[in-house]
Amino acid sequence: MSVSAASSPGLPVPLYFRALALSIPVLIGGHLFLAGLAIFSDSLAWQWHGALGGSIGFVILLLLGTAVFIAGLRDYRSAATVLFILYCFQFVWLELGAALVIGWVQALHPANAMALATLSVLMARRAMS
């Protein structure tokens, strides 16, 4: 998976894909802000954090779907797939940690969020170039 390689040579990245790719790190940034807000100011923000977290999955699925089904976006398939897998693991860490009553497993949730944010920024940067 090469995030720095160009999209299909000679073909520009479609505007809708650029918008999807750019929206994901923005949404993740908002998601992280809501977690901080819930910790330091307003516990009601946990509900917003959860709702936004769920809706980010829809955008990631759209990105993955376009990368899989649009031939010109083939170079983004691997990164989009990894992004989707990392997103799914957000729920695995929370639920598995809760089921096993192991806090360090749940603590992988924010660590995984850093990986999600990093990959989404790299994908957005690549799509915009």
Side-chain angles (χ1 to χ4, degrees):
M1 170 184 67
S2 174
V3 177
S4 62
S7 176
S8 298
L11 295 175
V13 176
L15 184 59
Y16 61 86
F17 189 82
R18 288 179 180 207
L20 288 171
L22 187 59
S23 69
I24 293 171
V26 171
L27 289 168
I28 291 173
H31 190 242
L32 294 172
F33 171 79
L34 289 173
L37 185 64
I39 291 169
F40 298 111
S41 179
D42 184 1
S43 62
L44 180 63
W46 280 125
Q47 293 174 354
W48 304 335
H49 173 80
L52 182 57
S55 64
I56 291 171
F58 179 71
V59 181
I60 291 174
L61 274 175
L62 285 174
L63 183 87
L64 177 60
T66 57
V68 168
F69 294 112
I70 306 296
L73 298 172
R74 183 170 296 157
D75 293 341
Y76 290 93
R77 287 179 186 168
S78 295
T81 301
V82 171
L83 191 69
F84 177 71
I85 291 168
L86 287 172
Y87 175 78
C88 291
F89 266 90
Q90 285 294 92
F91 300 97
V92 169
W93 301 133
L94 289 176
E95 297 303 321
L96 183 63
L100 299 175
V101 192
I102 302 175
W104 68 263
V105 173
Q106 289 177 306
L108 292 171
H109 177 80
N112 191 67
M114 291 189 312
L116 259 171
T118 301
L119 180 57
S120 70
V121 166
L122 291 173
M123 281 191 68
R125 184 175 171 206
R126 178 178 171 210
M128 300 308 280
S129 63

